[in-house]
Amino acid sequence: METRVNQIELNGYNFQYRESGEPSAPPLVALHALGTSAESWDQVANALGDKYRVLALDQRGHGGSARIGTYTFELMCEDLFHFANAMNLERFTLLGHSMGGTVSYLFSETYPSRVERLLVVDTPPPFADKPIIVPAKPSDPLPFDWQVVPSILQQLNEPNPEWWLRLHDIIMPTLIIGGGSSHIPQNKLREVSELIPNCELVMIQDAGHFVHDDNLPAFLATAKKFLDS
């Protein structure tokens, strides 16, 4: 299936996104993890593109999108809002992994009427835990803006408690997919699933954090069952 790579201006900044499927099909927006890009969704988009118009966005500082220098989950949430408006997406299915999953929770709490279904891969909203040490910047060139790392880790270390308190505002059908043998505490995914009113939790054992890379068939079977229900 053909993947079209496009550029769009959002709030004065240039963003890149990848599009698969028929333009007339129901829209599904996919958000990637920290340090990756929209390309990480290509295999999933290829499988879902027969039923959906899959729009995978390079989030700020990543892939072909602008290196803005200022990075927070809230700003990424607003980028998604501007993207949905620019693409005339009144309602859409939202798929997010890791950092993109946190953005997806926040967007679904803030703009619940815009999200048809929510699918989050192996992440809870940030929660107070032992501090994450910011690593040193690698000497090799990076495919993303390194400044994203300390910015996002600061929010992981000092999370906004509102994000957990507002999980009950996520009213659309929701699926959380856990990777089982992941560095993410799987019990936290269960806690989230019990706070969102209409939420299912599925664990794909031994898939790890990058579930859709490490066990694509199981990921697709789980996602399609949810999307078709």
Side-chain angles (χ1 to χ4, degrees):
M1 181 174 294
E2 181 195 5
T3 299
R4 304 173 289 282
V5 181
N6 302 305
Q7 303 281 333
I8 192 169
E9 187 176 300
L10 304 175
N11 207 22
Y13 294 104
N14 196 52
F15 282 75
Q16 184 169 290
Y17 66 97
R18 301 169 75 82
E19 182 173 1
S20 309
E22 289 297 321
S24 59
L28 183 153
V29 177
L31 300 179
H32 60 79
L34 173 68
T36 67
S37 72
E39 205 170 342
S40 67
W41 289 116
D42 277 2
Q43 287 183 288
V44 173
N46 190 49
L48 298 181
D50 58 339
K51 287 190 176 180
Y52 288 89
R53 178 193 184 193
V54 181
L55 301 161
L57 179 66
D58 280 339
Q59 296 181 89
R60 59 172 57 208
H62 293 78
S65 291
R67 290 2 185 196
I68 297 168
T70 310
Y71 303 101
T72 65
F73 289 119
E74 292 92 342
L75 288 170
M76 292 177 180
C77 177
E78 289 308 298
D79 293 339
L80 175 56
F81 177 73
H82 291 301
F83 180 65
N85 288 347
M87 300 299 290
N88 296 313
L89 308 180
E90 193 169 321
R91 281 171 67 80
F92 56 95
T93 294
L94 181 55
L95 166 61
H97 172 229
S98 201
M99 179 185 78
T102 295
V103 177
S104 299
Y105 285 128
L106 184 53
F107 186 89
S108 299
E109 290 173 354
T110 310
Y111 306 105
S113 65
R114 302 294 293 271
V115 182
E116 189 88 40
R117 286 174 176 267
L118 172 64
L119 204 170
V120 175
V121 184
D122 207 54
T123 198
F127 57 94
D129 197 16
K130 55 182 182 294
I132 304 167
I133 306 300
V134 179
K137 181 180 179 181
S139 54
D140 295 335
L142 295 166
F144 64 98
D145 185 353
W146 176 256
Q147 188 54 43
V148 179
V149 175
S151 302
I152 290 301
L153 290 188
Q154 182 182 353
Q155 287 198 288
L156 295 181
N157 286 333
E158 301 172 22
N160 182 345
E162 282 290 310
W163 299 348
W164 276 83
L165 294 172
R166 291 173 56 204
L167 284 170
H168 63 267
D169 293 335
I170 298 178
I171 52 175
M172 70 292 303
T174 300
L175 171 65
I176 300 172
I177 297 180
S181 59
S182 165
H183 68 277
I184 300 297
Q186 302 293 292
N187 63 315
K188 285 291 178 184
L189 301 182
R190 187 164 301 285
E191 284 182 40
V192 175
S193 73
E194 290 167 356
L195 291 167
I196 295 174
N198 184 7
C199 185
E200 180 186 2
L201 172 65
V202 175
M203 298 291 191
I204 298 177
Q205 294 304 327
D206 301 324
H209 185 52
F210 286 82
V211 185
H212 51 292
D213 288 337
D214 295 330
N215 195 337
L216 181 66
F219 175 85
L220 288 173
T222 304
K224 285 179 174 179
K225 183 181 176 187
F226 169 70
L227 293 171
D228 292 344
S229 63

